[in-house]
Amino acid sequence: MSSIKNILYFQAGLGVLANMFLLTFYIFTIPGHRPKPVDLISCQLTFIHIIMVLTGWDIWLTDMFELLNIENDFKCKATFYINRVMRGLSISITCLLSVFQAVTISPSDSLLAKFKHKLKKYIIYAFFYVWSFNLSFSSNQFFSVGAYANLSETSQMKVTNYCSHFPINIVIRGLILTVTTLRDVFLVGVMLTTSAYMIVFLFRHQRLCQHLHSIRHLRASPEKKATQIILLLVVFFVVMYWVDFFISSTSVLLWRYDPVILTVQKFVMNVYPTITPLVQISSDDRIINVLENLWP
């Protein structure tokens, strides 16, 4: 069990360090240049992933609360609420990233082209609505989660060493699960739709370039490279997210959390926020140039 915990700690450490590096790069890059909407979205997604990893169950934030001598009930409510908000923001901002990239690469004669020059204006409103919705949507965690009490096993569902889900009315539980599922299905559907649009666009663009004998120009296109990276992240996110969602939903419906399943969920939950910054760092020419200047 200690070896599994060490793997979770290593994964969390790698995720935090990679996201911190990427966030630092964005903080120093964006003010000095004219930021692209995709950079603004990626910067926010990086910050969300840092908090998401730090609030992972029984990893770091719970240890910090113990050092501060904060009571378990507040610790559980705060940890679960922040983590759920970040989880919702992660899928929402990833969806936003996919939509904005689809608009960015759209040809001038398409329906999406008219939104290109208004992206920066829309992005502020989008951030406001996304944050407001997720902060309010996850408020049920204050009532359904708390410190574990030594009562009958059937009345509580123990999730961590100190925290448990309290039993709630089955109708309310089903309603929360239904609304959450509808939100996730909608956002994933938008991501898949925009991804399909970008794939079709890239395919047509490649055929056109082949016809014009300019393959070299196509390969050097930053828009194409950025689109491929976002497509990779979207596909990876969808797979990891639904594995996590399936485990969570099944456990809540059955009102039982197996320790092995919980460990798998912890690992799966942090895979996306750990892999994302590594992919972005390795594919961003600006970051590669900075690293090459630091270490020639």
Side-chain angles (χ1 to χ4, degrees):
M1 194 67 182
S2 60
S3 60
I4 297 176
K5 193 171 184 179
N6 289 335
I7 292 175
L8 293 176
Y9 270 99
F10 174 78
Q11 181 195 38
L14 180 62
V16 170
L17 289 175
N19 280 291
M20 285 292 289
F21 174 83
L22 195 59
L23 182 62
T24 304
F25 173 80
Y26 284 130
I27 289 173
F28 284 100
T29 300
I30 289 177
H33 301 81
R34 183 177 295 177
K36 300 176 182 178
V38 172
D39 284 339
L40 295 173
I41 298 173
S42 297
C43 180
Q44 190 156 167
L45 187 63
T46 301
F47 170 76
I48 289 167
H49 285 164
I50 292 172
I51 306 301
M52 188 175 172
V53 173
L54 288 176
T55 55
W57 300 333
D58 280 350
I59 295 184
W60 285 346
L61 197 65
T62 50
D63 296 335
M64 184 187 74
F65 281 145
E66 284 184 12
L67 292 175
L68 296 175
N69 198 25
I70 296 176
E71 63 180 28
N72 288 338
D73 192 60
F74 175 81
K75 176 178 69 175
C76 295
K77 292 181 185 299
T79 303
F80 273 76
Y81 174 72
I82 295 172
N83 188 264
R84 283 294 165 179
V85 170
M86 294 302 121
R87 186 175 179 272
L89 285 171
S90 181
I91 184 174
S92 302
I93 299 297
T94 302
C95 178
L96 201 62
L97 182 64
S98 179
V99 171
F100 272 66
Q101 185 62 21
V103 174
T104 300
I105 67 170
S106 60
S108 57
D109 58 345
S110 68
L111 293 175
L112 297 177
K114 62 181 180 180
F115 298 107
K116 278 188 179 183
H117 303 294
K118 300 179 181 179
L119 284 181
K120 286 186 181 179
K121 177 183 177 182
Y122 289 142
I123 199 172
I124 303 300
Y125 294 110
F127 284 158
F128 175 77
Y129 288 125
V130 165
W131 275 85
S132 299
F133 174 77
N134 284 283
L135 286 170
S136 58
F137 186 81
S138 302
S139 58
N140 66 293
Q141 297 295 318
F142 288 117
F143 308 101
S144 60
V145 176
Y148 178 72
N150 191 19
L151 300 174
S152 63
E153 292 292 332
T154 55
S155 62
Q156 297 179 76
M157 182 173 66
K158 189 174 182 181
V159 181
T160 70
N161 293 331
Y162 308 102
C163 306
S164 64
H165 278 292
F166 297 142
I168 55 177
N169 186 281
I170 190 170
V171 176
I172 298 176
R173 191 194 312 171
L175 180 63
I176 293 173
L177 184 60
T178 301
V179 174
T180 304
T181 304
L182 290 175
R183 179 201 66 178
D184 295 349
V185 168
F186 171 75
L187 292 174
V188 170
V190 172
M191 278 190 273
L192 293 177
T193 302
T194 53
S195 297
Y197 172 81
M198 288 187 283
I199 290 171
V200 171
F201 173 79
L202 288 177
F203 178 72
R204 288 179 177 176
H205 187 58
Q206 186 170 3
R207 289 187 63 183
L208 178 63
C209 288
Q210 285 176 342
H211 180 70
L212 297 175
H213 305 288
S214 56
I215 301 291
R216 184 176 301 175
H217 171 73
L218 175 66
R219 287 176 179 171
S221 170
E223 288 81 9
K224 181 194 174 186
K225 188 175 182 180
T227 303
Q228 288 175 333
I229 296 302
I230 291 174
L231 286 172
L232 175 64
L233 293 178
V234 166
V235 171
F236 191 75
F237 175 84
V238 170
V239 174
M240 292 295 101
Y241 191 88
W242 283 107
V243 170
D244 177 33
F245 182 80
F246 176 77
I247 295 174
S248 299
S249 303
T250 304
S251 300
V252 170
L253 288 174
L254 298 177
W255 205 246
R256 182 175 179 272
Y257 249 121
D258 185 88
V260 176
I261 297 298
L262 181 60
T263 303
V264 172
Q265 185 182 12
K266 288 178 185 178
F267 180 81
V268 169
M269 189 172 61
N270 283 336
V271 167
Y272 178 70
T274 301
I275 295 296
T276 298
L278 297 176
V279 172
Q280 289 177 304
I281 290 170
S282 62
S283 60
D284 195 323
D285 291 335
R286 297 169 300 176
I287 299 177
I288 294 173
N289 290 334
V290 169
L291 294 177
E292 286 179 347
N293 291 330
L294 291 174
W295 294 288

